[in-house]
Amino acid sequence: MARDVANRRLRAGIVGGGPGSFIGAVHRVAAELDGQASVIAGAMSRDPQKAQEAAAAWYLQRSYASFQEMAEAEAKREDGIDFVIIATPNYMHFPVAKAFLEQGIHVVCDKPMTLTLEEAQELVKLVESKQIIFALSHNYTGYPAVRQARQMVRQGALGDIRKVLVEYIQDWLIEPVERSGNKQAQWRTDPSKSGVAGCVGDIGTHAENLLEFITGLKVTSLCADLSTFVEGRALDDDANMLLRLENGGKGVLTCSQIAAGEENNLSIRIYGSKAGLEWHQQEPNTLLFKPFGQPQQVYRTNMGFMSDESKALSRLPAGHPEGFYEAFANIYRLAIADIRRLERGQPLEGGYPTVQDGLRGLQFIVKAVESSQHGATWVSLD
Amino acid sequence: MARDVANRRLRAGIVGGGPGSFIGAVHRVAAELDGQASVIAGAMSRDPQKAQEAAAAWYLQRSYASFQEMAEAEAKREDGIDFVIIATPNYMHFPVAKAFLEQGIHVVCDKPMTLTLEEAQELVKLVESKQIIFALSHNYTGYPAVRQARQMVRQGALGDIRKVLVEYIQDWLIEPVERSGNKQAQWRTDPSKSGVAGCVGDIGTHAENLLEFITGLKVTSLCADLSTFVEGRALDDDANMLLRLENGGKGVLTCSQIAAGEENNLSIRIYGSKAGLEWHQQEPNTLLFKPFGQPQQVYRTNMGFMSDESKALSRLPAGHPEGFYEAFANIYRLAIADIRRLERGQPLEGGYPTVQDGLRGLQFIVKAVESSQHGATWVSLD
Amino acid sequence: MARDVANRRLRAGIVGGGPGSFIGAVHRVAAELDGQASVIAGAMSRDPQKAQEAAAAWYLQRSYASFQEMAEAEAKREDGIDFVIIATPNYMHFPVAKAFLEQGIHVVCDKPMTLTLEEAQELVKLVESKQIIFALSHNYTGYPAVRQARQMVRQGALGDIRKVLVEYIQDWLIEPVERSGNKQAQWRTDPSKSGVAGCVGDIGTHAENLLEFITGLKVTSLCADLSTFVEGRALDDDANMLLRLENGGKGVLTCSQIAAGEENNLSIRIYGSKAGLEWHQQEPNTLLFKPFGQPQQVYRTNMGFMSDESKALSRLPAGHPEGFYEAFANIYRLAIADIRRLERGQPLEGGYPTVQDGLRGLQFIVKAVESSQHGATWVSLD
Amino acid sequence: MARDVANRRLRAGIVGGGPGSFIGAVHRVAAELDGQASVIAGAMSRDPQKAQEAAAAWYLQRSYASFQEMAEAEAKREDGIDFVIIATPNYMHFPVAKAFLEQGIHVVCDKPMTLTLEEAQELVKLVESKQIIFALSHNYTGYPAVRQARQMVRQGALGDIRKVLVEYIQDWLIEPVERSGNKQAQWRTDPSKSGVAGCVGDIGTHAENLLEFITGLKVTSLCADLSTFVEGRALDDDANMLLRLENGGKGVLTCSQIAAGEENNLSIRIYGSKAGLEWHQQEPNTLLFKPFGQPQQVYRTNMGFMSDESKALSRLPAGHPEGFYEAFANIYRLAIADIRRLERGQPLEGGYPTVQDGLRGLQFIVKAVESSQHGATWVSLD
């Protein structure tokens, strides 16, 4: 249902984000950071009491007991929400997305997009059948340095891509914290809520997405060795993979949630026939460019020489660190701009991860698990 | 004028922040980041047309042609602003702050607090005579790592402080950009708008404030060598200073806005009789602790072992970089919490820079200029 | 032939190291660095004229036209060499080593030890049949930080080893320099001189050796994807491998000589159930220890808290960088100490890579090539 | 006494370097590293027994009971030493240097060159009156990256030098170890053996020398605040200084031996009107070049793009770390080359620190102490 969004902040609703949630608050901050949207409604917990309390803590105008109720009610209001944020555990992404899409409400959804490949395919069809914005929170693509990296690859600064090393390693599941009350750990290690993969689905997909986003190359096959190091855990907590890329390039992807001493280390190195690139999420404002035979160059967020796209996603002068929230907010900035364009009848410009990226992520997860189950053998990703 | 602030976001107004402003937008993001306040009114430019346009771009509810008008009108409204943000060039800080303080409206003001020592002293008296919150944007004290550092010094982890090296170096004034239309440069190099110091007032004060904040020690005397390297500039663009601390410790403070290749490099190293500390604003989530004879330790934002205060000012799990906005937002978080306490009649807890810090900053500026004018000789700061 | 080595520097001879050699000069510096040996004889080139000139440039006392001649002549002299340094291309290692071993002359040999597994096995037998010192230049194990890492693993500071990420990446073969006169490139890309592997043999073996040296764990199987990115090159110039370790741990090994912008980046990260370790050869004096849930600790060469073994292999106070030569010299220090012990009839203490390590390296090379030729499938290393 | 030095390694003698010495062994390694010299004689201790034992441990051919005896005896021998290494505490530099210079034996001497300005001036005269090589161990100028830095300044890559920040900070004297048997500490904190300054003479001179070496600019005046933080110590263990340079540039020099957690942190940053430079001795193979408005560039030892002089002082391919010994050895390489040129009657090329640098160091020490004694006031260095 199209609303006039000119001259006001957009109105957002949120599903999930209640007690024990980490990502809910991230979405709120990211959605509101540019002053282009306010979260004003929510179905923040399955427990109505908790939902109410969470909504009050955020000063929301409207709290709902269920997402179905919220979707229907908001769609009918004159001042209903313009878009919904889905910040639930994985298994709820699909039904919630479907409910709001069917009401014509734009969606910003967490990754991985769904539990199964089939659900992902259904969402793709649903989104394609509508005039609607669907953005997926592969938030790491929101960093200005990542955009710069992508542009440098596109412009041929690296030559032909030959080798990619991407990793996403953490340590927060090094012990069986899912058995001692950690809510984040509970659902992420539970196949019924998280899907067929644990670590691979939770963070491996970010690594795969980042690789394809920057290089513009598809992973065509992979050989994945998934492990569960913590006894009694139902899903993988570590994985190593060999990759082959569509252009003949090779790669390695490693992800872990049991790598002692690692916080949230998403890093990528890309080597071409002319130059290399290196980026570390934990120091996200620095991008190393490594032209063969010349001094390495240090690209920094919002320096004048950065690409227009990269600068457009920077908010502060160089040297004023922009971090995780700001990158996440860039996904919102781009999606909200398209929501405004859509409402004005202008051509969309995209730039944020879409339902297609969500489908791609599910393909990756399913194939990685399949490879590992067959003894870490090669499987095709197409 | 006390208002009931329970169960709602606070309402903020802003003075300044119009076209060409850098810090205005920073204040908006920082004030709103935690979902505890919304900027809804403004007197964003001296030019009413520009003020109107700036307010519209931010979707403000009310735009005023002057700060005087705004102070009076908002004080009278039932739904008037709870606090004002002062984001103007330096010379306007004093009259604006005075106008809102006299109306009983809480203030968050940029640094340096005033143009002159006398104005600063007048503001101190005004604030002390009222039940009112006055917060100063020495935003770098908002970093969780800085709070950790302060606590470690307080707890004696460093022993007696012997030596402090603090620096704040940039390069954005390396060329006379004030003559080619850069608004930020224009007022910052104009004594009538910036005060008696340029670089020393703009960033040297941050360095001095950080030193005293972390160490808890007063600088008792200084020997300052101010320079103006860009021809025709009216104020200093670089300074080196020797410092002596109240406990017998020694220090060096260097600041520059002509240090080629430096972005916004505020760094501090503190050496005690037992250990040292090192922090760099450009990688703000890392604090190095250097106990003599033992391995250096890397303290990181929001790790479990950080102090309670430091963790309370962190929003994300370790490894999810928090940056400039988040630190700035911590000043707002602390000030807003005190505004709520004040309205509830609870004891204040502080934690943000105050009008006293503003006065201290002016003392530092005045004495540094005096020292330099006397041939870089020692002057007392008391 | 046992000689009295007391009260004098040992006498060394060198085979190879003539014009265009890189490693020859490294051996000379490393062998002599502690003042425990002098290189005094050589067969430095197949070309007698060049051999003569090279020997003169080094002020050698005796120059030979062939290694055979040298082995025989030196064995007969009263003041003959105590040990020989083999610094030739790979294919000569075996015949030269054999010739000197048969004369009872101790050997320090470059890696990989031989061209084939069979030659390696023959050398093992030969060495084991004699009272003789055979040291292999897996020089990276000579770094004090690497010794510290090994000890920390041994003492259980990491808990059970779960994951190892090791890499050795360079860029010097990014272009077909073997076709434009680069001698180092010529023999290294020529199967008749280098063996069945290129990059994997030249530097992959160092990575594998380092992994097993520090962890004390055997790689039991691997899945290797070797590539030749530079057209027309006969051997691999890049490889990615999945590894499985004898204790159930997993690993990734990547090596490359076409990774643009990388100099000589040998790095290893080891993750256990309690802590992690990280070391980078290009900043070799720093070892990061990462205990789960605690601050990372920075171990530095020759700090008082380092292990006795690590300190015994350090020569300078902390902060005085020790580099590649010093690590290489530690292999000589340890081997020379054993030569002296042998001559004195004392028990040997080892500590340097041996003929067994050389055999292990060949196994690794052969299996990696086999895996890749079978489509990057798993092969056992036993 | 001129000897034919063609076709052989030079013969060196050493004074000092006996039990408890740190720098003696450094000189031996550095002098011999390139295979251009061997240390074969010594007067290594005032205690004849210890001298004998030290000489035996180094396998020296000749041990002397006193430097005077050594100077006379070696001068008379056909196979006498070509140069002498002075590795004694400071107060012995002058008499030893004088003794060997008078015998026409070339000298490599530790810094600071003498105890007093008068001695330094006498040495200058003595050296200038002879055809003789006198090299001073300002070893940090031997790093390839430092040479690169100097050349970049010379070629104008930085524009006009405006600001220099140089520091040399350590922590090894943080406790009164001179009272618990540390020989290095004993003489360095004893005015009769070390001179009028402690920390300033021991390491402050290196910092000052490095600044002048790289920038090519003289320090014309300084304002120095020396401190003694460890009670009962007779000399300074810390100092902060403001500097003014001959071209109008400004600087800060800080040095300390009580800076907890610092190993041997000699660092320099130079800012010009066009670009900046940054170098840290503890990671000596990296030089940061910071052109205004462009990406920072990472210059690395022995990369192809480095200057000819810098590459000529590098021994290993990039990425093979060269450290303290190698830089020190470069002083020897350059001095030995001049000794050979002198003997061949060729023009000298220099490149190593000279007796003039030694005099400059004494001027700096004397003036820094004078400034501090006058209450940290400005003094001229001319």
Side-chain angles (χ1 to χ4, degrees), chain B residues 208 212 218-222 360 363-365 367-368 379-382:
Chain B
E208 188 271 346
E212 295 197 347
K218 294 283 174 201
V219 174
T220 49
S221 57
L222 56 78
R360 181 69 180 161
Q363 289 169 333
F364 169 74
I365 290 168
K367 290 297 179 176
V379 296
S380 167
L381 225 84
D382 301 321

Side-chain angles (χ1 to χ4, degrees), chain C residues 9-308:
Chain C
R9 293 185 182 191
L10 268 57
R11 292 181 293 266
I14 186 164
V15 180
S21 167
F22 147 55
I23 208 66
V26 170
H27 276 278
R28 188 193 56 69
V29 170
E32 296 189 342
L33 194 119
D34 283 323
Q36 293 293 330
S38 296
V39 182
I40 57 104
M44 295 184 69
S45 173
R46 293 174 156 270
D47 175 329
Q49 172 71 12
K50 286 183 184 168
Q52 187 64 44
E53 286 168 10
W58 283 14
Y59 311 119
L60 299 192
Q61 296 173 19
R62 300 188 285 276
S63 173
Y64 294 93
S66 78
F67 73 86
Q68 295 93 339
E69 188 189 333
M70 177 169 156
E72 283 173 35
E74 291 293 322
K76 287 182 193 141
R77 295 180 68 104
E78 282 269 320
D79 64 348
I81 59 173
D82 300 296
F83 67 92
V84 71
I85 297 163
I86 306 177
T88 65
N90 300 347
Y91 73 110
M92 293 299 294
H93 294 175
F94 175 71
V96 176
K98 198 175 165 191
F100 283 85
L101 288 171
E102 286 174 346
Q103 295 290 350
I105 294 174
H106 306 297
V107 171
V108 178
C109 182
D110 253 12
K111 47 51 51 194
M113 188 168 73
T114 58
L115 270 203
T116 69
L117 201 51
E118 293 68 31
E119 288 174 351
Q121 287 159 338
E122 192 176 334
L123 274 195
V124 169
K125 277 186 211 150
L126 196 52
V127 170
E128 288 178 347
S129 68
K130 302 206 170 228
Q131 277 276 58
I132 207 153
I133 302 303
F134 183 99
L136 196 75
S137 61
H138 271 310
N139 52 292
Y140 297 109
T141 63
Y143 277 112
V146 168
R147 301 283 164 148
Q148 176 72 20
R150 182 172 66 155
Q151 203 218 27
M152 292 173 85
V153 172
R154 278 185 184 168
Q155 292 184 332
L158 276 73
D160 296 327
I161 303 303
R162 292 170 166 182
K163 185 181 185 82
V164 184
L165 303 173
V166 64
E167 64 189 52
Y168 196 159
I169 51 182
Q170 308 175 324
D171 73 0
W172 70 289
L173 292 179
I174 194 169
E175 289 171 0
V177 288
E178 61 268 37
R179 280 174 252 158
S180 49
N182 181 319
K183 291 218 166 193
Q184 294 297 318
Q186 279 169 357
W187 74 257
R188 278 186 169 82
T189 59
D190 176 351
S192 72
K193 294 186 174 155
S194 188
V196 295
C199 173
V200 166
D202 196 34
I203 59 176
T205 45
H206 275 306
E208 189 269 346
N209 176 262
L210 189 68
L211 182 159
E212 295 197 347
F213 181 82
I214 296 179
T215 66
L217 295 170
K218 294 282 174 204
V219 174
T220 50
S221 57
L222 56 78
C223 173
D225 194 14
L226 276 58
S227 306
T228 304
F229 282 108
V230 172
E231 241 177 298
R233 187 166 284 162
L235 294 172
D236 58 286
D237 50 24
D238 184 272
N240 299 322
M241 307 186 200
L242 302 181
L243 309 177
R244 288 178 179 171
L245 309 181
E246 59 176 312
N247 74 335
K250 303 286 182 79
V252 175
L253 184 156
T254 186
C255 57
S256 186
Q257 295 181 315
I258 55 87
E262 297 291 348
E263 298 171 3
N264 193 45
N265 183 358
L266 170 63
S267 298
I268 190 163
R269 289 174 290 168
I270 304 171
Y271 299 103
S273 55
K274 291 161 58 179
L277 275 179
E278 178 170 348
W279 180 74
H280 299 268
Q281 192 269 149
Q282 295 190 172
E283 303 297 1
N285 296 295
T286 296
L287 173 70
L288 280 181
F289 176 58
K290 309 178 177 187
F292 174 66
Q294 293 171 45
Q296 290 191 12
Q297 295 181 9
V298 185
Y299 282 70
R300 297 266 304 160
T301 300
N302 222 8
M303 288 291 285
F305 51 77
M306 298 293 272
S307 71
D308 289 344

Side-chain angles (χ1 to χ4, degrees), chain D residues 111-155:
Chain D
K111 45 55 46 194
M113 189 167 74
T114 58
L115 269 202
T116 69
L117 201 53
E118 293 66 32
E119 288 174 350
Q121 287 160 336
E122 191 175 335
L123 273 195
V124 168
K125 278 188 209 149
L126 195 53
V127 170
E128 288 178 346
S129 70
K130 303 210 168 224
Q131 277 277 58
I132 207 152
I133 303 302
F134 183 99
L136 196 74
S137 62
H138 271 309
N139 52 292
Y140 297 109
T141 64
Y143 277 111
V146 168
R147 301 284 163 147
Q148 176 72 21
R150 181 172 66 155
Q151 203 218 27
M152 293 173 83
V153 172
R154 276 186 185 168
Q155 292 184 333

Side-chain angles (χ1 to χ4, degrees), chain B residues 117 200 208-209 211-212 217-224 241-246 253 359-371 377-382:
Chain B
L117 201 52
V200 165
E208 188 271 346
N209 177 262
L211 182 159
E212 295 197 347
L217 295 170
K218 294 283 174 201
V219 174
T220 49
S221 57
L222 56 78
C223 174
M241 306 186 200
L242 302 180
L243 308 178
R244 289 178 178 171
L245 309 181
E246 59 176 311
L253 185 155
L359 174 58
R360 181 69 180 161
L362 264 294
Q363 289 169 333
F364 169 74
I365 290 168
V366 166
K367 290 297 179 176
V369 171
E370 181 187 321
S371 166
T377 52
W378 288 90
V379 296
S380 167
L381 225 84
D382 301 321

Side-chain angles (χ1 to χ4, degrees), chain C residues 5-10 22 26 28-29 32-36 38-39 56-60 140 143 168 170-171 263-265 281-286 300-301 303 315-326 340, chain D residues 5-10 22 26 28-29 32-36 38-39 56-60 140 143 168 170-171 263-265 281-286 300-301 303 315-326 340:
Chain C
V5 298
N7 305 322
R8 65 169 174 87
R9 293 185 182 191
L10 268 57
F22 147 55
V26 170
R28 188 193 56 69
V29 170
E32 296 189 342
L33 194 119
D34 283 323
Q36 293 293 330
S38 296
V39 182
W58 283 14
Y59 311 119
L60 299 192
Y140 297 109
Y143 277 112
Y168 196 159
Q170 308 175 324
D171 73 0
E263 298 171 3
N264 193 45
N265 183 358
Q281 192 269 149
Q282 295 190 172
E283 303 297 1
N285 296 295
T286 296
R300 297 266 304 160
T301 300
M303 288 291 285
R315 293 169 181 82
L316 291 165
H320 298 71
E322 303 193 46
F324 183 86
Y325 279 129
E326 290 74 34
R340 292 194 187 275
Chain D
V5 297
N7 304 322
R8 64 169 176 87
R9 294 186 181 189
L10 268 57
F22 147 55
V26 169
R28 188 193 55 69
V29 171
E32 296 189 343
L33 194 118
D34 283 321
Q36 294 291 331
S38 296
V39 181
W58 283 14
Y59 310 121
L60 299 190
Y140 297 109
Y143 277 111
Y168 196 158
Q170 309 175 323
D171 74 359
E263 298 170 3
N264 193 44
N265 184 358
Q281 191 270 150
Q282 294 190 174
E283 304 297 1
N285 296 294
T286 296
R300 295 268 302 161
T301 300
M303 289 292 285
R315 292 169 181 83
L316 290 165
H320 298 70
E322 303 192 47
F324 182 86
Y325 280 129
E326 290 75 36
R340 291 194 187 278

Side-chain angles (χ1 to χ4, degrees), chain B residues 302-366:
Chain B
N302 222 9
M303 288 292 285
F305 51 77
M306 298 292 273
S307 71
D308 289 344
E309 183 194 15
S310 181
K311 284 190 284 191
L313 295 177
S314 307
R315 293 169 181 83
L316 291 165
H320 298 71
E322 303 193 46
F324 183 85
Y325 279 129
E326 291 73 37
F328 213 113
N330 282 335
I331 305 302
Y332 275 97
R333 173 183 284 195
L334 293 163
I336 287 172
D338 255 8
I339 292 175
R340 292 194 187 276
R341 285 187 199 100
L342 191 65
E343 304 294 346
R344 287 194 300 260
Q346 294 173 328
L348 303 185
E349 296 191 5
Y352 45 88
T354 66
V355 75
Q356 293 291 348
D357 294 288
L359 174 58
R360 181 69 180 161
L362 264 294
Q363 289 169 333
F364 169 74
I365 290 168
V366 166

Side-chain angles (χ1 to χ4, degrees), chain C residues 344-376:
Chain C
R344 288 195 298 261
Q346 295 174 328
L348 303 186
E349 297 191 5
Y352 45 88
T354 66
V355 75
Q356 292 291 349
D357 293 288
L359 174 59
R360 181 70 182 162
L362 265 293
Q363 289 170 334
F364 169 74
I365 291 168
V366 165
K367 291 296 180 176
V369 170
E370 180 187 321
S371 166
S372 194
Q373 285 174 343
H374 288 76

